[in-house]
Amino acid sequence: MFQQRRPGRQQPGMTYDELIEAVRYDGLYPTRERAEEVTRTVLAALGRQLTGEERVALAAALPRRAARVLAAEIPGPDRLTGWGFVKDIAAHIPESTPATARWDAGSVLGIIGRAAGPQLLRRILGQLPEGYALLFGQAELARPPQPA
């Protein structure tokens, strides 16, 4: 459906419309509007968590309209776990539950992870607290202990 972004390319390998259609298909959303609402909410929530070079690289890998949603959010001082991230999404979607928010997060982040590519996705997951790998459709690997 889309190609990996290659260094030096001006345009991402996927258009915004292709991103929304991929989310609609993967998430089994009944309308394009619903898929777009979910995509924007999840990207905004991710924008509140991701910082630094990984944030810039992910924005560059996304279609311009999606990158703007991600970049418009100011990262918060507290890093949310994957479960906290799901609860944040639920708080921003009317009539959402933790279960539907988990589905929404996985539907969008699975596509975003594929657009980012394996190397960038590893860097993103290395920056985020535990619980995000499953949301991106990846195995949650044990992290090495942090020095005290």
Side-chain angles (χ1 to χ4, degrees):
M1 176 175 286
F2 56 88
Q3 301 170 354
Q4 292 288 77
R5 181 178 170 94
R6 290 187 290 265
R9 275 186 75 187
Q10 293 297 88
Q11 295 295 319
M14 165 184 358
T15 67
Y16 184 75
D17 288 336
E18 289 170 338
L19 170 68
I20 299 304
E21 284 305 311
V23 169
R24 181 177 179 192
Y25 179 82
D26 280 10
L28 304 173
Y29 296 107
T31 65
R32 182 187 194 291
E33 291 75 23
R34 176 70 176 142
E36 186 168 16
E37 173 191 15
V38 166
T39 301
R40 294 177 66 78
T41 301
V42 172
L43 282 172
L46 186 59
R48 291 189 291 276
Q49 296 303 307
L50 202 54
T51 62
E53 291 179 25
E54 289 75 19
R55 178 183 173 98
V56 172
L58 180 57
L62 295 174
R64 194 166 299 168
R65 284 174 59 188
R68 278 190 235 133
V69 173
L70 178 83
E73 297 295 322
I74 298 170
D78 299 324
R79 295 283 155 246
L80 298 175
T81 63
W83 178 239
F85 180 78
V86 167
K87 290 192 300 188
D88 182 48
I89 291 168
H92 287 88
I93 297 178
E95 301 180 25
S96 184
T97 67
T100 60
R102 165 59 181 93
W103 179 267
D104 294 339
S107 297
V108 175
L109 294 180
I111 301 295
I112 298 303
R114 291 196 304 265
Q119 291 177 334
L120 177 55
L121 181 55
R122 273 193 298 279
R123 289 177 30 215
I124 289 169
L125 292 174
Q127 181 190 115
L128 295 169
E130 67 181 36
Y132 283 84
L134 292 174
L135 298 174
F136 278 95
Q138 303 291 307
E140 184 78 46
L141 302 177
R143 294 178 185 233
Q146 298 297 320

